[in-house]
Amino acid sequence: MVYCSTNPPTTSTWRLCARFEDALLEFAGCVAVISHDRWFLDRIATHILACEGDSKWTFFDGNYQEYEADKKKRLGEEGAKPKRIRYKPISR
């Protein structure tokens, strides 16, 4: 497991993260990345598995910017806006 902060506090940490991104770009295998940094995702993502609410998972072939454009096209401008998740109550 590797952790790399996308908001590094020092120049040395920033350089380490830049090297990590470069290594990901050169890596031939599969890496699961969870990040809020859209620039980072645009740079390294080639496929996206997104949870779009109501337990619906969408697989997209492309980077984050392309995924967002596709999501707006599929769901409309209003449907693509982030929404608070509502959990279903557990019943026994």
Side-chain angles (χ1 to χ4, degrees):
M1 180 174 153
V2 175
Y3 172 76
C4 183
S5 172
T6 55
N7 298 315
T10 65
T11 304
S12 62
T13 307
W14 175 253
R15 287 185 189 129
L16 178 64
C17 286
R19 279 191 248 154
F20 177 62
E21 289 175 17
D22 291 339
L24 286 175
L25 291 171
E26 296 296 321
F27 183 63
C30 177
V31 177
V33 175
I34 300 170
S35 177
H36 68 277
D37 186 337
R38 293 175 181 169
W39 183 84
F40 176 74
L41 291 173
D42 274 343
R43 186 163 180 232
I44 66 160
T46 58
H47 299 81
I48 293 178
L49 180 62
C51 182
E52 294 184 343
D54 292 332
S55 299
K56 182 181 179 211
W57 290 88
T58 302
F59 181 81
F60 182 77
D61 186 9
N63 69 14
Y64 187 78
Q65 189 174 12
E66 294 165 338
Y67 162 73
E68 282 289 304
D70 179 72
K71 185 177 175 183
K72 285 179 185 174
K73 192 168 129 181
R74 286 184 292 109
L75 303 176
E77 195 72 36
E78 196 60 36
K81 288 183 180 176
K83 294 174 187 61
R84 181 175 292 275
I85 296 172
R86 296 181 190 256
Y87 295 98
K88 295 178 183 175
I90 297 174
S91 59
R92 295 183 189 252

